[in-house]
Structures are given as structure tokens and as C-alpha cells.
Amino acid sequence: MWKLVDGRLVQTTDTARTNFVTNISQSILEELRSVARENDTHVNYLIESGLQSLLSENQISYNKDTRPKDRIAFNTSCDKELLNEVKQFAKAHKLFLNDVIEYSIRFIDIQTAKKSSHRYRIEL
């Protein structure tokens, strides 16, 4: 992102975000990439939207026997606070983080997902 400092634009890193690696179904990831391209956004913004919606529901019905078999490592970033809330949510429901992420995909709201230009925003 960019910050306006003393009348000049200075490029900075968004410290509210954190990078992490998770395992996610390759077929789900392909679907997310397609949706992201169609809607001018990024996969991580879609995942964040789904996670926020899932947390607002505050319930999950996940069958561990239906876990996908095509999981691959996926490097992404997320809001630190949101990630911590999701970790606590997963722990409280005795699930893994990647299970919660995959489940949250059905809760994605395209309208609330950030656009790809969000990373180039200017903050005062």
C-alpha cells in the first residue's frame, strides 16, 4: 500500500496482514482462481470473505470423512486478527485450519471481497 507522508507517497507493507501456508484442495483452488479472475480480485480476498461470513454464523457442520484427497500446499496472506479468530474457531470445533478454510468457500460473498487494486490503495 501507499501512505501519504509529508505530501509524498511512500510505499509500505501492510502490517495488519500475515503470510501463511495451508493445504487446500486443488480443485477448490482452481475454482477460486477462476472466480477471482472473473471478479477482479485475488484468491486470498475471496477466502477472507468466506471466513468472515463463516465466523459471523458461528457454527460449522463439517464431516471429517469427506476431506478432499487432492490437497496441495498454498501460500497466501490474511488479516492477522481474522486468522487468529479462525484458528480459535477451528480449535473450538476440533478441526484443522485447512478444513475451516475449505468449508468457508461456500460462504464467499463476491460483493464484500476486496478488489485486486486494494493492495495499491493510498492511506493518509
Side-chain angles (χ1 to χ4, degrees):
M1 74 177 165
W2 295 86
K3 286 194 174 192
L4 193 59
V5 180
D6 296 328
R8 297 182 55 199
L9 284 177
V10 178
Q11 189 172 17
T12 63
T13 303
D14 190 350
T15 58
R17 300 188 67 77
T18 186
N19 292 325
F20 69 101
V21 177
T22 188
N23 293 317
I24 189 168
S25 166
Q26 186 171 6
S27 58
I28 290 174
L29 189 56
E30 298 288 329
E31 183 180 328
L32 286 174
R33 286 179 175 149
S34 173
V35 171
R37 272 192 304 275
E38 292 169 5
N39 293 285
D40 187 34
T41 188
H42 294 293
V43 172
N44 57 330
Y45 293 154
L46 292 174
I47 291 173
E48 282 184 10
S49 170
L51 290 172
Q52 289 169 340
S53 299
L54 176 62
L55 289 177
S56 68
E57 295 278 322
N58 200 27
Q59 62 184 7
I60 187 169
S61 176
Y62 187 83
N63 183 355
K64 293 180 182 181
D65 296 330
T66 62
R67 285 185 172 132
K69 305 295 183 219
D70 65 338
R71 285 185 172 164
I72 59 170
F74 177 63
N75 190 6
T76 187
S77 65
C78 185
D79 181 76
K80 285 180 187 178
E81 268 186 47
L82 177 62
L83 185 59
N84 287 333
E85 288 177 33
V86 172
K87 285 180 180 178
Q88 292 173 356
F89 181 82
K91 187 175 181 179
H93 291 86
K94 297 183 173 108
L95 294 169
F96 294 118
L97 179 61
N98 50 358
D99 294 332
V100 174
I101 290 172
E102 288 174 342
Y103 185 83
S104 73
I105 300 306
R106 60 186 82 175
F107 294 96
I108 290 175
D109 181 8
I110 303 285
Q111 271 53 36
T112 62
K114 299 172 188 169
K115 295 295 180 189
S116 59
S117 60
H118 179 75
R119 66 184 291 199
Y120 303 111
R121 69 192 180 280
I122 299 173
E123 291 189 353
L124 303 175

